[in-house]
Amino acid sequence: MSDICAMKTALINFPGSNRDKDMIKAIKDISKNMPELVWHKEVKLPKSDIIIIPGGFSYGDYLRSGAIAARSPIMKAVKQAANDGVKILGVCNGFQILTEAGLLPGTLMRNKSLKFICKSIELEITNSDTSFTSGYKQGQIIDCPVAHHDGNFFADEKVLSEIEKNNQVAFRYANGTNPNGSLNNIAGVFNEQKNILGMMPHPENLIEKAHGGTDGRALFAGLFEVLS
Amino acid sequence: MSIPNEPQIDAKLIADHGLSKSEYQKILEIIGREPSYTELGIFSAMWNEHCSYKSSKKWLKTLPTTGKCVIMGPGENAGVVDIGDGQAVIFKMESHNHPSYIEPYQGAATGVGGILRDVFTMGARPIAAMNALRFGAPTHKKTRHLVSGVVSGVGGYGNCFGVPTVGGEVEFDERYNGNILVNAFAAGLADTDSIFYSEAKGVGLPVVYLGAKTGRDGVGGATMASAEFDDDIDEKRPTVQVGDPFTEKRLMEATLELMKTGAVIAIQDMGAAGLTCSAVEMGAKGNLGIELNLDNVPVREENMTPYEMMLSESQERMLMVLHPEKEAAARAVFEKWELDFATVGKTTNDLRFSIFWQGTEVANLPIKKLGDEAPEYDRDWIAPKPKKPLEQTLPNDDVADVLLKMLGLPNLCSRRWVWEQYDTLIQSNSLQIPGGDAGVVRVEGHETKALAFSSDVTPRYVEADPFEGGKQAVAECWRNISATGATPLACSDNLNFGNPEKPNIMGQLVMAIKGIGEACRELNFPIVSGNVSLYNETNGVAILPTPTIAGVGLLQDWDKMARIGFAGEDDAILLIGAPSDWGHHLGQSIYMRDIVGNFDGAPPPVDLSHEKKTGEFVRKLINEKITTAVHDCSDGGLGIALAEMAMAGNIGAKVNQLNGLNPLATFFAEDQGRYIVSIKRRNLERVLEMSENNDVFTAWIGVTGGDSLQLGQTTPIPIAKLKKAHEGWFPEFMKEEL
């Protein structure tokens, strides 16, 4: 545990981030460590083992979700850190921002239903051989909630086949629970180097008994374990 | 005093401002001269029904508003209730009916925005929201469009702002064809030693404008909301405001951050009647005058007149009185969040509301007369004749067939299509989301405490008997909260009625308030905030009288919380609080109205002392961890409640019926004050003994188990079939409607 306590997390805060507190609670609960909060106007990141971009509506998302945030001052530093191999996790709006920033392949379009959707879905762990997913078994099915308007993963055929070929799919919606029309049921993807993960579902909302389940916990526990 | 280009005041202009001849006469007496155009607008904004409560005030005063836990009752932005450990829950429900009919998305969105602002204006971070929505008949041509727009609007605003929507109501009735109801509720959490109020203190202090810029949207909105609709309603579209939840989110963060600096003396959000209402409220409450300089108001449109600036209902704006020495620190907070911050005036000691624009004084009015001395009416009212008890021989329907039909009725089917568009999980504290008896969220920062929220009213009961219907709305809310194990603390009332100038409508309002008052007193459930929406009529036809009650309860230990789903096989099912024949009141029941087609009869009466005794007993069982599931018995009766418990828990049940009684009455009567509870068989004797000691009748009516529900002698229905009937209607109804 002492090792986990030494791990350093940076959490990027945009003015419209709104699942930042959920994420902070999850990090504190699992790592016993308070993440360092980084305001979107900063240009430098503190030295960290992992950078997390939480859910929300970064700058209102009246344009494409995450489009403005991807061009905010802090994102230059995030890109640099990504090149340096620092682990980066983007959840929901964080995922949208990472695709808009070009750090992850594909794009997240409006849900097929054209409506916001908040519900519990099932996820299959498609690649457990990464630091983000080491807490799960390959092929394991877990519960996880989603809450988004723009989670419909899309990529052109070429990109899609590369993603699949390189084992970049982290999670797929399982058992017919795809809530948004995502291609190949993709719920989360890595970059090619597997140091960046973006995912639409919210593991931070399923980490304790009060949430009705703890399936999201292993993502953080596994990641923190690897990093420490 | 005169302003160039302003229209001449004539009878038509006065009428267009919703002011009666006698009200205009009163204005002349108060100021001793003809008002300027801006002044006329200000009077109209302050004296309309929405802002002044002129028709309802006399009766609202009769409601119980105090109690051991009440820190602040009605009159502020929201009610404040003590929940122990130095924390308070701050909440209110408010209507946004008229705008939502005209422009459903923006109307509903800004309704949510307005109520959230009321809560964080007092220093509380919003932790839960609910919405009570009422639409016209599903067959009416506008209904699908309105449902779609309102639900998207509620979600669009609340989801982006970041508050979980944990409860609410959706109902259809042709009487809402021309006037839908959107009643938005929000609750927030604050420390009891840092709650902020609107009363200005101190002379010569800066009045500061914060938040979004002022535009022409919503000019005259509150006056519009105080009039009936006619066929030209679409022309009113420009009076609907446009919401920006991202700005609201920043405004909340900035406001809460600012409050921590100690700079805030008084604060009032700009809601109905915008700058006018907020400034008058702060001044009048503090016995101070307010002087505004409109040249400093941040505007987003060119050439705005003082009239427009004073009456704009642009959203996401606040007015504050600040400590002058902390103005710089305050400005820094707002600059960080990229919001406007402008000193637009000062407090004065002359009790005048004085407004300057381009170097000229365009209004100078006595501030107290605008605010707390607005007109008040004692309108004529006639108590409606009580309906005769129902006389009807029941058809020879099969209980199982009826149950399936009822589960798929617009007013009983699952609302999943609606609430899955709301973020119910954000903040990580949601313990119960919609679909149960009440929404429940944990109290942030506390190990075991949680708050339960429910919103209730049965308008068909209120119309048949406003007094009993008013009682029932309170009792059902109290019961739903109790059914989770929470102790009901206090509530907010949102009274939606027709035109109060008609004595029969005024009679509904008066009798409903009397019923609400009696129930709140008896159940120790004071009203701490609320809102009145009158003139909900189109072409002379009024809505069903709809006094929505939104209540809050406290769970000391959420680990003991009850849920509605059956939780194990072979549990005993008990009916608690019923008469010895389990219940038989069919008048105004959904079965009689929607299946048989008989709209006659009185609604079920509410025996408040019985209600109290039964609720306390059920809470006791929950707190002693004896129950495995708990559900209140309301719309649709015993049969529907049992089906909901089976569907929620995915466990079936076999339920008896009493010999010699018509099972249709047994399973679909809507007698009040009843709960269904499941317990382990081994506790049966103990619970029956406890219920006898507590003087509550408890019947052992069945056993859980299997994968179908059997009511009495009829065919068992598989749970999958129940679910199909229950879940099917809404998505089918809304198919392909965007």
Side-chain angles (χ1 to χ4, degrees):
Chain A
M1 193 51 77
S2 59
D3 283 334
I4 282 188
C5 292
M7 189 203 62
K8 285 194 169 57
T9 312
L11 189 129
I12 313 288
N13 245 319
F14 294 97
S17 300
N18 63 18
R19 259 190 173 77
D20 48 339
K21 292 189 173 60
D22 303 46
M23 189 60 87
I24 294 167
K25 271 195 267 185
I27 295 166
K28 270 171 71 182
D29 183 19
I30 297 165
S31 74
K32 311 290 169 213
N33 206 343
M34 178 68 189
E36 188 150 345
L37 307 183
V38 184
W39 190 236
H40 64 121
K41 285 181 183 164
E42 304 281 332
V43 289
K44 265 192 182 162
L45 279 161
K47 191 171 161 29
S48 30
D49 302 302
I50 175 154
I51 299 161
I52 297 185
I53 309 179
F57 290 72
S58 41
Y59 291 100
D61 286 346
Y62 297 121
L63 191 61
R64 286 193 321 274
S65 294
I68 299 179
R71 288 145 187 88
S72 64
I74 192 63
M75 285 308 287
K76 269 192 192 148
V78 172
K79 282 181 190 170
Q80 185 56 52
N83 288 335
D84 296 345
V86 177
K87 301 276 184 288
I88 299 172
L89 170 65
V91 172
C92 200
N93 194 216
F95 186 12
Q96 294 161 344
I97 294 167
L98 290 171
T99 59
E100 284 287 344
L103 290 172
L104 285 174
T107 188
L108 294 149
M109 305 194 305
R110 186 128 291 197
N111 294 346
K112 199 176 161 196
S113 65
L114 305 181
K115 298 194 180 302
F116 188 95
I117 182 112
C118 176
K119 68 192 288 193
S120 180
I121 50 88
E122 289 176 50
L123 282 185
E124 182 195 343
I125 315 302
T126 320
N127 180 354
S128 66
D129 191 21
T130 74
S131 26
F132 293 100
T133 48
S134 64
Y136 299 107
K137 291 195 195 75
Q138 182 78 17
Q140 188 182 343
I141 307 270
I142 61 165
D143 288 331
C144 200
V146 293
H148 59 248
H149 209 153
D150 301 309
N152 184 354
F153 183 85
F154 179 84
D156 63 33
E157 256 175 61
K158 185 167 159 273
V159 173
L160 197 62
S161 72
E162 272 170 23
I163 293 171
E164 294 286 359
K165 198 179 73 199
N166 297 334
N167 291 321
Q168 281 174 256
V169 178
F171 307 104
R172 283 187 218 277
Y173 301 110
N175 298 328
T177 61
N178 183 343
N180 51 32
S182 286
L183 282 181
N184 294 9
N185 293 317
I186 290 173
V189 292
F190 302 110
N191 63 339
E192 213 181 321
Q193 295 74 30
K194 314 280 191 314
N195 67 317
I196 306 175
L197 168 65
M199 63 191 295
M200 287 315 295
H202 290 283
E204 75 275 23
N205 282 145
L206 200 66
I207 61 154
E208 51 174 319
K209 189 182 157 199
H211 298 159
T214 56
D215 283 1
R217 213 177 161 87
L219 186 138
F220 300 99
L223 180 61
F224 297 158
E225 193 63 44
V226 171
L227 292 177
S228 55
Chain B
M1 212 170 29
S2 70
I3 310 167
N5 301 327
E6 74 173 26
Q8 276 292 290
I9 290 171
D10 57 20
K12 185 177 178 302
L13 194 66
I14 293 163
D16 285 349
H17 279 78
L19 292 162
S20 70
K21 276 185 193 144
S22 64
E23 282 166 351
Y24 184 67
Q25 204 51 47
K26 199 169 168 188
I27 291 172
L28 293 180
E29 281 162 29
I30 287 172
I31 61 175
R33 58 175 166 79
E34 181 177 85
S36 70
Y37 180 51
T38 305
E39 288 173 334
L40 186 72
I42 290 171
F43 271 108
S44 148
M46 292 307 299
W47 284 11
N48 64 55
E49 191 67 55
H50 186 83
C51 293
S52 72
Y53 298 96
K54 59 191 170 191
S55 301
S56 56
K57 209 189 268 173
K58 172 187 158 91
W59 299 100
L60 294 175
K61 283 179 193 157
T62 66
L63 290 169
T65 57
T66 54
K68 214 169 60 193
C69 63
V70 178
I71 295 175
M72 175 56 74
E76 280 291 335
N77 284 300
V80 184
V81 172
D82 197 337
I83 59 166
D85 303 305
Q87 284 181 303
V89 59
I90 297 186
F91 65 93
K92 186 181 179 181
M93 182 174 250
E94 196 165 76
S95 60
H96 225 218
N97 305 334
H98 293 72
S100 301
Y101 182 77
I102 298 168
E103 214 304 288
Y105 185 96
Q106 292 299 344
T110 53
V112 174
I115 200 68
L116 289 167
R117 214 152 48 241
D118 279 335
V119 165
F120 69 76
T121 297
M122 299 196 72
R125 184 175 279 274
I127 57 161
M130 296 194 285
N131 282 278
L133 312 177
R134 291 190 158 79
F135 299 101
T139 49
H140 188 264
K141 61 180 192 303
K142 272 197 159 177
T143 301
R144 283 178 4 126
H145 162 71
L146 291 169
V147 171
S148 175
V150 166
V151 172
S152 305
V154 167
Y157 207 100
N159 299 345
C160 177
F161 178 83
V163 64
T165 300
V166 297
E169 300 172 86
V170 179
E171 192 171 0
F172 298 92
D173 193 287
E174 62 178 13
R175 294 279 293 284
Y176 303 108
N177 279 355
N179 294 78
I180 62 168
L181 302 185
V182 173
N183 294 175
F185 169 94
L189 204 59
D191 291 337
T192 47
D193 59 2
S194 52
I195 293 166
F196 292 80
Y197 298 105
S198 58
E199 178 188 334
K201 287 174 193 151
V203 174
L205 299 181
V207 174
V208 175
Y209 172 115
L210 307 153
K213 292 187 199 305
T214 296
R216 289 191 172 88
D217 47 336
V219 171
T223 305
M224 181 264 292
S226 304
E228 287 181 40
F229 280 171
D230 52 32
D231 292 330
D232 302 328
I233 187 61
D234 285 340
E235 290 172 15
K236 305 263 186 189
R237 206 181 291 268
T239 54
V240 179
Q241 317 88 315
V242 177
D244 176 359
F246 172 57
T247 297
E248 176 106 331
K249 201 262 177 188
R250 287 181 294 144
L251 183 61
M252 170 191 64
E253 299 289 1
T255 302
L256 296 180
E257 209 171 305
L258 180 61
M259 284 166 169
K260 285 195 187 128
T261 67
V264 180
I265 296 172
I267 173 166
Q268 176 73 37
D269 82 299
M270 290 190 227
L275 191 52
T276 295
C277 199
S278 54
V280 169
E281 196 120 326
M282 291 207 300
K285 272 195 186 139
N287 281 317
L288 292 167
I290 300 272
E291 186 186 301
L292 296 180
N293 182 355
L294 297 185
D295 300 330
N296 295 337
V297 170
V299 289
R300 64 173 135 85
E301 291 181 61
E302 284 179 5
N303 301 322
M304 283 190 70
T305 65
Y307 178 93
E308 288 166 334
M309 282 191 244
M310 291 310 294
L311 267 68
S312 161
E313 291 191 2
S314 289
Q315 298 289 292
E316 295 94 21
R317 302 179 300 160
M318 290 275 190
L319 206 60
M320 297 188 195
V321 177
L322 295 182
H323 285 293
E325 70 278 12
K326 295 199 169 151
E327 207 177 308
R331 185 181 292 273
V333 170
F334 272 73
E335 277 168 5
K336 171 185 162 193
W337 290 97
E338 295 177 44
L339 293 161
D340 272 295
F341 180 104
T343 303
V344 295
K346 61 178 188 207
T347 57
T348 64
N349 61 4
D350 63 1
L351 286 177
R352 304 296 292 183
F353 186 38
S354 127
I355 295 158
F356 289 86
W357 176 68
Q358 299 187 350
T360 318
E361 190 171 42
V362 293
N364 187 321
L365 299 168
I367 204 161
K368 300 286 278 184
K369 300 275 180 199
L370 284 171
D372 35 17
E373 290 170 31
E376 193 180 324
Y377 296 126
D378 182 3
R379 299 215 187 263
D380 291 339
W381 60 279
I382 319 167
K385 267 199 217 129
K387 293 233 185 188
K388 283 194 207 117
L390 185 72
E391 282 171 33
Q392 157 104 19
T393 20
L394 295 178
N396 206 6
D397 290 340
D398 175 65
V399 168
D401 290 347
V402 172
L403 181 68
L404 282 171
K405 230 186 257 174
M406 285 183 55
L407 281 173
L409 285 173
N411 282 334
L412 282 178
C413 71
S414 165
R415 271 76 182 108
R416 184 183 301 277
W417 184 91
V418 174
W419 52 257
E420 280 189 348
Q421 294 184 52
Y422 303 153
D423 196 331
T424 49
L425 302 173
I426 191 156
Q427 298 188 11
S428 292
N429 288 321
S430 302
L431 297 168
Q432 287 202 44
I433 62 171
D437 277 326
V440 183
V441 300
R442 286 187 296 187
V443 173
E444 184 76 44
H446 194 280
E447 281 289 306
T448 63
K449 284 200 302 201
L451 293 165
F453 304 94
S454 183
S455 147
D456 300 277
V457 59
T458 315
R460 62 181 189 277
Y461 293 173
V462 187
E463 176 156 271
D465 184 338
F467 180 71
E468 285 300 322
K471 277 163 65 182
Q472 195 273 343
V474 176
E476 188 176 343
C477 180
W478 188 88
R479 200 184 308 137
N480 276 324
I481 291 168
S482 293
T484 66
T487 308
L489 296 177
C491 59
S492 187
D493 62 339
N494 194 159
L495 310 176
N496 309 273
F497 288 81
N499 182 347
E501 292 161 45
K502 298 177 182 169
N504 63 322
I505 300 286
M506 193 63 206
Q508 291 178 337
L509 177 64
V510 171
M511 293 308 289
I513 291 177
K514 287 185 177 198
I516 290 167
E518 186 164 305
C520 289
R521 269 185 294 272
E522 185 74 26
L523 297 173
N524 192 18
F525 199 38
I527 305 264
V528 295
S529 56
N531 157 252
V532 180
S533 170
L534 303 177
Y535 297 95
N536 291 289
E537 299 200 5
T538 296
N539 294 329
V541 181
I543 57 161
L544 288 176
T546 312
T548 314
I549 302 295
V552 178
L554 177 65
L555 274 155
Q556 288 297 342
D557 181 359
W558 58 261
D559 200 34
K560 293 179 180 169
M561 175 183 71
R563 297 176 187 271
I564 73 163
F566 288 138
E569 301 264 330
D570 204 32
D571 285 357
I573 305 171
L574 308 178
L575 179 61
I576 298 180
S580 58
D581 69 352
W582 301 3
H584 53 264
H585 189 102
L586 282 166
Q588 300 302 330
S589 65
I590 291 194
Y591 172 67
M592 287 314 291
R593 289 170 63 104
D594 292 357
I595 302 290
V596 180
N598 184 336
F599 289 66
D600 294 338
V606 179
D607 176 345
L608 292 165
S609 64
H610 169 267
E611 192 75 56
K612 189 165 186 226
K613 191 169 66 181
T614 309
E616 282 169 357
F617 176 59
V618 169
R619 288 208 301 271
K620 186 177 165 134
L621 293 179
I622 297 170
N623 276 313
E624 294 188 15
K625 286 187 118 170
I626 302 172
T627 62
T628 52
V630 179
H631 192 12
D632 98 304
C633 213
S634 56
D635 275 345
L638 186 55
I640 292 294
L642 286 163
E644 287 169 346
M645 297 177 85
M647 289 186 289
N650 253 324
I651 294 173
K654 195 171 176 333
V655 180
N656 307 326
Q657 72 181 61
L658 293 175
N659 286 336
L661 293 177
N662 188 330
L664 290 166
T666 301
F667 291 113
F668 304 117
E670 295 183 4
D671 296 61
Q672 298 294 298
R674 300 183 300 166
Y675 298 78
I676 305 172
V677 164
S678 66
I679 58 168
K680 291 279 159 234
R681 286 278 271 269
R682 61 171 186 277
N683 290 322
L684 189 55
E685 223 164 291
R686 180 176 160 212
V687 171
L688 292 176
E689 195 186 308
M690 282 170 77
S691 85
E692 212 171 300
N693 295 341
N694 283 274
D695 193 25
V696 176
F697 177 72
T698 295
W700 177 24
I701 63 167
V703 191
T704 65
D707 52 10
S708 58
L709 174 68
Q710 185 177 4
L711 301 181
Q713 313 296 323
T714 188
T715 340
I717 314 169
I719 292 174
K721 205 168 166 187
L722 294 174
K723 282 190 180 169
K724 200 173 159 211
H726 193 51
E727 297 289 347
W729 186 84
F730 226 114
E732 187 58 33
F733 173 59
M734 293 307 294
K735 210 161 74 181
E736 283 156 29
E737 173 70 40
L738 298 179

